[in-house]
Amino acid sequence: MNFDKNFKARINTAKDVTILTGAGVSAESGIATFRDPDGLWSKFNPAELASIDGFLANTELVWSWYRHRVSIIENTSPNPGHYAIAEIQKLIKSFNLITQNVDRLHQRAGSENVIELHGNIVNNHCFDCGDIFEGNTSLLNNILPKCVSCGGRIRPDVVWFGEMLPQQAIKKAEIAAIKADIFFIVGTSSEVYPAANLPIIAKQNGAFVVEVNPKQTAISNYMDYCIRETSAVAFPQILEFIKTTL
Ligand code: BV8
Ligand code: ZN
């Protein structure tokens, strides 16, 4: 890939790199995105499924949707994009990986200290007493998983629409955006807030902002550089270029 000369110059001098990812980074692992034509939201109404009201009103439907997603994730693997991002972390002294994804494929590819803005689909907790249930235990085999401590409703550890993001995660993400010399936005439509504010914060604080996405998005015109490639194609080549600068 023939990278833009400004990008190459910025990579050469960058001390601090942050990558923000969305569902697109897992697409080449076979996990559907949300808003692409064949995406998850094309079949379901997000407000109905990814919200507290939706969960309380359609608990069985929401659980069948999450069980479906868990079974897909359990049968997929990280792709070359995930692995290249994990390798880049080892080469850059000050590096942050922020993800909107709940599939934990970054962690399975070796990325460490991943900042999860929207929680994860691997763990669950009791909606009523807060007890934590690590991993997708056999509890999930029941149509309506019940808490063993209080008999309450168990829910996935994800952040639903209308719910605050984990305070520590969003704080760390904002600090990473402020400090970044280069801020990559990968595989996200940049339609969900407050995550979609992060590239803006990065640019306002002097970062060179790079979008890696085969399609145009809501913030493409605000980018310093757009790599119109999939992440599994682009990131192994970005990794190779970074190695030449060390
Ligand atoms: C909150 C649940 C306080 C987990 C999700 C302003 C400020 C704050 C909040 C808001 C605001 N305006 C509106 C709100 C409310 C709301 C919001 O943002 N609504 C949107 C729809 C307008 N935000 C919230 O409710 C957040 N909470 O702020 O609380 C509050 C509340 C209300 C009002 C004010 C304040 C909570 C947000 C989290 C919601 N949870 N999911 C789950 O079940 O998964 S969101 C869901 O969308 C996923 O988590 C996902 O991560 C996220 C973003 O989607 P993307 O990852 O971008 O995926 P998408 O399909 O959209 O795009 C994929 C992209 O990849 C495409 O561009 C495609 O071209 C590209 N692509 C495809 N293949 C590839 C590729 N790229 C690279 N390589 C490829 N191979
Ligand atoms: Zn309970």
Side-chain angles (χ1 to χ4, degrees), residues 138-173:
S138 57
L139 285 171
L140 301 191
N141 297 333
N142 313 329
I143 299 280
L144 284 177
K146 288 281 181 215
C147 172
V148 287
S149 319
C150 76
R153 290 152 296 195
I154 290 180
R155 58 160 287 178
D157 267 10
V158 297
V159 177
W160 279 329
F161 285 106
E163 288 191 306
M164 299 298 282
L165 274 58
Q167 279 312 305
Q168 208 193 15
I170 191 67
K171 198 87 216 104
K172 276 166 75 177

mmCIF file of all heavy atoms in Angstrom, residues 138-173:
data_model
loop_
_atom_site.group_PDB
_atom_site.id
_atom_site.type_symbol
_atom_site.label_atom_id
_atom_site.label_comp_id
_atom_site.label_asym_id
_atom_site.label_seq_id
_atom_site.Cartn_x
_atom_site.Cartn_y
_atom_site.Cartn_z
ATOM 1 N N SER A 138 -23.374 -22.162 32.208
ATOM 2 C CA SER A 138 -24.534 -22.972 31.751
ATOM 3 C C SER A 138 -25.839 -22.213 32.046
ATOM 4 O O SER A 138 -26.862 -22.477 31.463
ATOM 5 C CB SER A 138 -24.544 -24.291 32.533
ATOM 6 O OG SER A 138 -24.593 -23.942 33.912
ATOM 7 N N LEU A 139 -25.736 -21.204 32.933
ATOM 8 C CA LEU A 139 -26.939 -20.387 33.236
ATOM 9 C C LEU A 139 -27.604 -19.940 31.937
ATOM 10 O O LEU A 139 -28.805 -19.789 31.837
ATOM 11 C CB LEU A 139 -26.527 -19.127 34.016
ATOM 12 C CG LEU A 139 -26.169 -19.296 35.481
ATOM 13 C CD1 LEU A 139 -25.581 -17.985 35.996
ATOM 14 C CD2 LEU A 139 -27.389 -19.704 36.270
ATOM 15 N N LEU A 140 -26.746 -19.695 30.941
ATOM 16 C CA LEU A 140 -27.294 -19.101 29.721
ATOM 17 C C LEU A 140 -28.076 -20.118 28.901
ATOM 18 O O LEU A 140 -28.738 -19.774 27.942
ATOM 19 C CB LEU A 140 -26.165 -18.501 28.869
ATOM 20 C CG LEU A 140 -25.337 -17.423 29.558
ATOM 21 C CD1 LEU A 140 -24.456 -16.733 28.552
ATOM 22 C CD2 LEU A 140 -26.225 -16.437 30.283
ATOM 23 N N ASN A 141 -28.003 -21.397 29.329
ATOM 24 C CA ASN A 141 -28.761 -22.392 28.542
ATOM 25 C C ASN A 141 -30.253 -22.247 28.803
ATOM 26 O O ASN A 141 -31.080 -22.728 28.068
ATOM 27 C CB ASN A 141 -28.300 -23.819 28.912
ATOM 28 C CG ASN A 141 -26.828 -23.980 28.525
ATOM 29 O OD1 ASN A 141 -26.379 -23.285 27.602
ATOM 30 N ND2 ASN A 141 -26.097 -24.812 29.228
ATOM 31 N N ASN A 142 -30.578 -21.564 29.926
ATOM 32 C CA ASN A 142 -32.027 -21.392 30.185
ATOM 33 C C ASN A 142 -32.538 -20.235 29.340
ATOM 34 O O ASN A 142 -31.838 -19.259 29.123
ATOM 35 C CB ASN A 142 -32.265 -21.031 31.665
ATOM 36 C CG ASN A 142 -31.474 -21.963 32.581
ATOM 37 O OD1 ASN A 142 -31.274 -23.119 32.215
ATOM 38 N ND2 ASN A 142 -30.987 -21.443 33.689
ATOM 39 N N ILE A 143 -33.787 -20.337 28.934
ATOM 40 C CA ILE A 143 -34.378 -19.269 28.109
ATOM 41 C C ILE A 143 -34.280 -17.940 28.859
ATOM 42 O O ILE A 143 -33.967 -16.906 28.327
ATOM 43 C CB ILE A 143 -35.881 -19.609 27.835
ATOM 44 C CG1 ILE A 143 -35.987 -20.923 27.077
ATOM 45 C CG2 ILE A 143 -36.582 -18.468 27.133
ATOM 46 C CD1 ILE A 143 -35.729 -20.822 25.586
ATOM 47 N N LEU A 144 -34.526 -18.016 30.183
ATOM 48 C CA LEU A 144 -34.427 -16.794 30.989
ATOM 49 C C LEU A 144 -33.438 -17.052 32.115
ATOM 50 O O LEU A 144 -33.819 -17.540 33.179
ATOM 51 C CB LEU A 144 -35.796 -16.437 31.574
ATOM 52 C CG LEU A 144 -36.799 -15.821 30.586
ATOM 53 C CD1 LEU A 144 -38.152 -15.580 31.275
ATOM 54 C CD2 LEU A 144 -36.254 -14.514 30.043
ATOM 55 N N PRO A 145 -32.140 -16.767 31.907
ATOM 56 C CA PRO A 145 -31.149 -17.052 32.958
ATOM 57 C C PRO A 145 -31.507 -16.344 34.268
ATOM 58 O O PRO A 145 -31.803 -15.151 34.265
ATOM 59 C CB PRO A 145 -29.853 -16.505 32.370
ATOM 60 C CG PRO A 145 -30.071 -16.396 30.912
ATOM 61 C CD PRO A 145 -31.531 -16.142 30.733
ATOM 62 N N LYS A 146 -31.497 -17.125 35.362
ATOM 63 C CA LYS A 146 -31.892 -16.549 36.654
ATOM 64 C C LYS A 146 -30.694 -16.522 37.587
ATOM 65 O O LYS A 146 -29.854 -17.438 37.564
ATOM 66 C CB LYS A 146 -32.989 -17.418 37.288
ATOM 67 C CG LYS A 146 -34.343 -17.298 36.577
ATOM 68 C CD LYS A 146 -35.048 -16.049 36.992
ATOM 69 C CE LYS A 146 -36.420 -15.913 36.308
ATOM 70 N NZ LYS A 146 -36.733 -14.504 36.013
ATOM 71 N N CYS A 147 -30.645 -15.485 38.432
ATOM 72 C CA CYS A 147 -29.547 -15.329 39.381
ATOM 73 C C CYS A 147 -29.662 -16.385 40.484
ATOM 74 O O CYS A 147 -30.733 -16.541 41.093
ATOM 75 C CB CYS A 147 -29.630 -13.923 39.993
ATOM 76 S SG CYS A 147 -28.497 -13.644 41.340
ATOM 77 N N VAL A 148 -28.550 -17.084 40.759
ATOM 78 C CA VAL A 148 -28.593 -18.133 41.804
ATOM 79 C C VAL A 148 -28.671 -17.503 43.201
ATOM 80 O O VAL A 148 -29.123 -18.118 44.157
ATOM 81 C CB VAL A 148 -27.364 -19.072 41.716
ATOM 82 C CG1 VAL A 148 -27.474 -19.989 40.511
ATOM 83 C CG2 VAL A 148 -26.067 -18.292 41.643
ATOM 84 N N SER A 149 -28.248 -16.233 43.304
ATOM 85 C CA SER A 149 -28.274 -15.602 44.651
ATOM 86 C C SER A 149 -29.672 -15.080 44.990
ATOM 87 O O SER A 149 -30.158 -15.256 46.097
ATOM 88 C CB SER A 149 -27.291 -14.416 44.701
ATOM 89 O OG SER A 149 -26.118 -14.744 44.027
ATOM 90 N N CYS A 150 -30.314 -14.405 44.015
ATOM 91 C CA CYS A 150 -31.589 -13.752 44.405
ATOM 92 C C CYS A 150 -32.745 -14.131 43.497
ATOM 93 O O CYS A 150 -33.858 -13.631 43.658
ATOM 94 C CB CYS A 150 -31.397 -12.219 44.390
ATOM 95 S SG CYS A 150 -31.383 -11.537 42.720
ATOM 96 N N GLY A 151 -32.467 -14.971 42.461
ATOM 97 C CA GLY A 151 -33.556 -15.365 41.553
ATOM 98 C C GLY A 151 -33.893 -14.281 40.548
ATOM 99 O O GLY A 151 -34.842 -14.396 39.778
ATOM 100 N N GLY A 152 -33.088 -13.197 40.574
ATOM 101 C CA GLY A 152 -33.360 -12.072 39.651
ATOM 102 C C GLY A 152 -32.958 -12.378 38.217
ATOM 103 O O GLY A 152 -32.509 -13.479 37.907
ATOM 104 N N ARG A 153 -33.102 -11.330 37.359
ATOM 105 C CA ARG A 153 -32.807 -11.508 35.929
ATOM 106 C C ARG A 153 -31.321 -11.255 35.671
ATOM 107 O O ARG A 153 -30.796 -10.218 36.061
ATOM 108 C CB ARG A 153 -33.622 -10.495 35.110
ATOM 109 C CG ARG A 153 -35.112 -10.766 35.074
ATOM 110 C CD ARG A 153 -35.897 -9.513 34.893
ATOM 111 N NE ARG A 153 -35.727 -8.603 36.051
ATOM 112 C CZ ARG A 153 -36.527 -7.569 36.265
ATOM 113 N NH1 ARG A 153 -37.488 -7.276 35.401
ATOM 114 N NH2 ARG A 153 -36.350 -6.802 37.326
ATOM 115 N N ILE A 154 -30.669 -12.204 34.989
ATOM 116 C CA ILE A 154 -29.264 -12.000 34.603
ATOM 117 C C ILE A 154 -29.238 -11.268 33.269
ATOM 118 O O ILE A 154 -30.091 -11.510 32.414
ATOM 119 C CB ILE A 154 -28.545 -13.357 34.500
ATOM 120 C CG1 ILE A 154 -28.398 -13.934 35.917
ATOM 121 C CG2 ILE A 154 -27.172 -13.211 33.857
ATOM 122 C CD1 ILE A 154 -27.706 -15.259 35.972
ATOM 123 N N ARG A 155 -28.253 -10.342 33.120
ATOM 124 C CA ARG A 155 -28.139 -9.577 31.860
ATOM 125 C C ARG A 155 -26.692 -9.588 31.399
ATOM 126 O O ARG A 155 -25.779 -9.746 32.197
ATOM 127 C CB ARG A 155 -28.604 -8.147 32.049
ATOM 128 C CG ARG A 155 -27.840 -7.372 33.127
ATOM 129 C CD ARG A 155 -27.963 -5.896 32.978
ATOM 130 N NE ARG A 155 -27.173 -5.419 31.838
ATOM 131 C CZ ARG A 155 -27.145 -4.135 31.451
ATOM 132 N NH1 ARG A 155 -27.861 -3.228 32.075
ATOM 133 N NH2 ARG A 155 -26.406 -3.745 30.429
ATOM 134 N N PRO A 156 -26.433 -9.373 30.093
ATOM 135 C CA PRO A 156 -25.050 -9.328 29.615
ATOM 136 C C PRO A 156 -24.340 -8.070 30.109
ATOM 137 O O PRO A 156 -24.995 -7.053 30.388
ATOM 138 C CB PRO A 156 -25.186 -9.287 28.089
ATOM 139 C CG PRO A 156 -26.620 -9.414 27.767
ATOM 140 C CD PRO A 156 -27.417 -9.238 29.001
ATOM 141 N N ASP A 157 -23.022 -8.127 30.222
ATOM 142 C CA ASP A 157 -22.212 -6.995 30.719
ATOM 143 C C ASP A 157 -21.965 -5.942 29.646
ATOM 144 O O ASP A 157 -20.895 -5.348 29.615
ATOM 145 C CB ASP A 157 -20.835 -7.511 31.177
ATOM 146 C CG ASP A 157 -20.831 -7.832 32.668
ATOM 147 O OD1 ASP A 157 -21.930 -7.819 33.250
ATOM 148 O OD2 ASP A 157 -19.753 -8.093 33.212
ATOM 149 N N VAL A 158 -22.930 -5.728 28.773
ATOM 150 C CA VAL A 158 -22.744 -4.713 27.725
ATOM 151 C C VAL A 158 -23.384 -3.400 28.155
ATOM 152 O O VAL A 158 -24.212 -3.373 29.056
ATOM 153 C CB VAL A 158 -23.361 -5.175 26.383
ATOM 154 C CG1 VAL A 158 -22.678 -6.419 25.872
ATOM 155 C CG2 VAL A 158 -24.872 -5.363 26.524
ATOM 156 N N VAL A 159 -23.011 -2.302 27.483
ATOM 157 C CA VAL A 159 -23.623 -0.997 27.755
ATOM 158 C C VAL A 159 -24.754 -0.812 26.754
ATOM 159 O O VAL A 159 -24.509 -0.801 25.533
ATOM 160 C CB VAL A 159 -22.589 0.140 27.583
ATOM 161 C CG1 VAL A 159 -23.258 1.499 27.801
ATOM 162 C CG2 VAL A 159 -21.413 -0.046 28.525
ATOM 163 N N TRP A 160 -25.941 -0.647 27.216
ATOM 164 C CA TRP A 160 -27.092 -0.475 26.317
ATOM 165 C C TRP A 160 -27.342 0.997 26.019
ATOM 166 O O TRP A 160 -26.836 1.886 26.719
ATOM 167 C CB TRP A 160 -28.329 -1.104 26.973
ATOM 168 C CG TRP A 160 -28.376 -2.606 26.795
ATOM 169 C CD1 TRP A 160 -27.898 -3.355 25.738
ATOM 170 C CD2 TRP A 160 -28.912 -3.573 27.716
ATOM 171 N NE1 TRP A 160 -28.103 -4.691 25.951
ATOM 172 C CE2 TRP A 160 -28.738 -4.862 27.133
ATOM 173 C CE3 TRP A 160 -29.539 -3.491 28.948
ATOM 174 C CZ2 TRP A 160 -29.159 -6.034 27.759
ATOM 175 C CZ3 TRP A 160 -29.968 -4.655 29.571
ATOM 176 C CH2 TRP A 160 -29.781 -5.910 28.990
ATOM 177 N N PHE A 161 -28.106 1.263 24.987
ATOM 178 C CA PHE A 161 -28.476 2.649 24.689
ATOM 179 C C PHE A 161 -29.190 3.245 25.905
ATOM 180 O O PHE A 161 -30.012 2.572 26.537
ATOM 181 C CB PHE A 161 -29.394 2.697 23.459
ATOM 182 C CG PHE A 161 -28.645 2.471 22.183
ATOM 183 C CD1 PHE A 161 -28.757 1.268 21.504
ATOM 184 C CD2 PHE A 161 -27.788 3.440 21.675
ATOM 185 C CE1 PHE A 161 -28.038 1.036 20.333
ATOM 186 C CE2 PHE A 161 -27.074 3.229 20.503
ATOM 187 C CZ PHE A 161 -27.193 2.022 19.837
ATOM 188 N N GLY A 162 -28.808 4.461 26.225
ATOM 189 C CA GLY A 162 -29.436 5.121 27.383
ATOM 190 C C GLY A 162 -28.682 4.856 28.665
ATOM 191 O O GLY A 162 -28.917 5.492 29.683
ATOM 192 N N GLU A 163 -27.701 3.924 28.619
ATOM 193 C CA GLU A 163 -26.902 3.653 29.823
ATOM 194 C C GLU A 163 -25.579 4.432 29.753
ATOM 195 O O GLU A 163 -25.011 4.600 28.670
ATOM 196 C CB GLU A 163 -26.584 2.150 29.925
ATOM 197 C CG GLU A 163 -27.791 1.296 30.291
ATOM 198 C CD GLU A 163 -27.397 -0.129 30.637
ATOM 199 O OE1 GLU A 163 -26.710 -0.778 29.808
ATOM 200 O OE2 GLU A 163 -27.778 -0.602 31.711
ATOM 201 N N MET A 164 -25.134 4.886 30.903
ATOM 202 C CA MET A 164 -23.833 5.579 30.944
ATOM 203 C C MET A 164 -22.728 4.581 30.614
ATOM 204 O O MET A 164 -22.829 3.413 30.985
ATOM 205 C CB MET A 164 -23.587 6.133 32.355
ATOM 206 C CG MET A 164 -24.607 7.154 32.824
ATOM 207 S SD MET A 164 -24.606 8.614 31.789
ATOM 208 C CE MET A 164 -23.153 9.461 32.406
ATOM 209 N N LEU A 165 -21.681 5.059 29.964
ATOM 210 C CA LEU A 165 -20.512 4.199 29.739
ATOM 211 C C LEU A 165 -19.735 4.069 31.048
ATOM 212 O O LEU A 165 -19.858 4.943 31.918
ATOM 213 C CB LEU A 165 -19.599 4.829 28.675
ATOM 214 C CG LEU A 165 -19.924 4.521 27.200
ATOM 215 C CD1 LEU A 165 -21.320 4.945 26.822
ATOM 216 C CD2 LEU A 165 -18.886 5.094 26.264
ATOM 217 N N PRO A 166 -18.950 2.991 31.195
ATOM 218 C CA PRO A 166 -18.139 2.866 32.416
ATOM 219 C C PRO A 166 -17.262 4.125 32.555
ATOM 220 O O PRO A 166 -16.505 4.461 31.631
ATOM 221 C CB PRO A 166 -17.291 1.620 32.163
ATOM 222 C CG PRO A 166 -17.961 0.877 31.047
ATOM 223 C CD PRO A 166 -18.708 1.893 30.236
ATOM 224 N N GLN A 167 -17.404 4.820 33.677
ATOM 225 C CA GLN A 167 -16.737 6.120 33.839
ATOM 226 C C GLN A 167 -15.222 6.046 33.611
ATOM 227 O O GLN A 167 -14.627 6.866 32.933
ATOM 228 C CB GLN A 167 -17.027 6.684 35.250
ATOM 229 C CG GLN A 167 -18.394 7.355 35.341
ATOM 230 C CD GLN A 167 -18.650 8.346 34.185
ATOM 231 O OE1 GLN A 167 -17.870 9.261 33.962
ATOM 232 N NE2 GLN A 167 -19.689 8.119 33.390
ATOM 233 N N GLN A 168 -14.628 4.974 34.178
ATOM 234 C CA GLN A 168 -13.159 4.845 34.060
ATOM 235 C C GLN A 168 -12.755 4.668 32.592
ATOM 236 O O GLN A 168 -11.811 5.279 32.105
ATOM 237 C CB GLN A 168 -12.699 3.622 34.876
ATOM 238 C CG GLN A 168 -11.276 3.778 35.370
ATOM 239 C CD GLN A 168 -10.689 2.475 35.906
ATOM 240 O OE1 GLN A 168 -11.249 1.399 35.646
ATOM 241 N NE2 GLN A 168 -9.592 2.586 36.607
ATOM 242 N N ALA A 169 -13.550 3.901 31.856
ATOM 243 C CA ALA A 169 -13.221 3.624 30.442
ATOM 244 C C ALA A 169 -13.304 4.903 29.623
ATOM 245 O O ALA A 169 -12.373 5.242 28.869
ATOM 246 C CB ALA A 169 -14.166 2.555 29.888
ATOM 247 N N ILE A 170 -14.371 5.652 29.753
ATOM 248 C CA ILE A 170 -14.520 6.857 28.919
ATOM 249 C C ILE A 170 -13.494 7.909 29.333
ATOM 250 O O ILE A 170 -12.934 8.592 28.475
ATOM 251 C CB ILE A 170 -15.979 7.380 28.924
ATOM 252 C CG1 ILE A 170 -16.170 8.457 27.837
ATOM 253 C CG2 ILE A 170 -16.417 7.898 30.273
ATOM 254 C CD1 ILE A 170 -16.075 7.978 26.411
ATOM 255 N N LYS A 171 -13.153 7.971 30.607
ATOM 256 C CA LYS A 171 -12.125 8.941 31.071
ATOM 257 C C LYS A 171 -10.767 8.589 30.447
ATOM 258 O O LYS A 171 -10.092 9.431 29.850
ATOM 259 C CB LYS A 171 -12.051 8.860 32.607
ATOM 260 C CG LYS A 171 -11.375 10.054 33.257
ATOM 261 C CD LYS A 171 -12.358 11.214 33.528
ATOM 262 C CE LYS A 171 -11.708 12.582 33.329
ATOM 263 N NZ LYS A 171 -12.088 13.255 32.103
ATOM 264 N N LYS A 172 -10.407 7.296 30.511
ATOM 265 C CA LYS A 172 -9.110 6.857 29.946
ATOM 266 C C LYS A 172 -9.100 7.095 28.436
ATOM 267 O O LYS A 172 -8.103 7.533 27.860
ATOM 268 C CB LYS A 172 -8.885 5.361 30.236
ATOM 269 C CG LYS A 172 -8.288 5.098 31.616
ATOM 270 C CD LYS A 172 -8.371 3.651 32.022
ATOM 271 C CE LYS A 172 -7.395 2.742 31.341
ATOM 272 N NZ LYS A 172 -7.487 1.342 31.842
ATOM 273 N N ALA A 173 -10.247 6.876 27.805
ATOM 274 C CA ALA A 173 -10.321 7.057 26.338
ATOM 275 C C ALA A 173 -10.146 8.527 25.979
ATOM 276 O O ALA A 173 -9.443 8.883 25.025
ATOM 277 C CB ALA A 173 -11.658 6.529 25.829
#
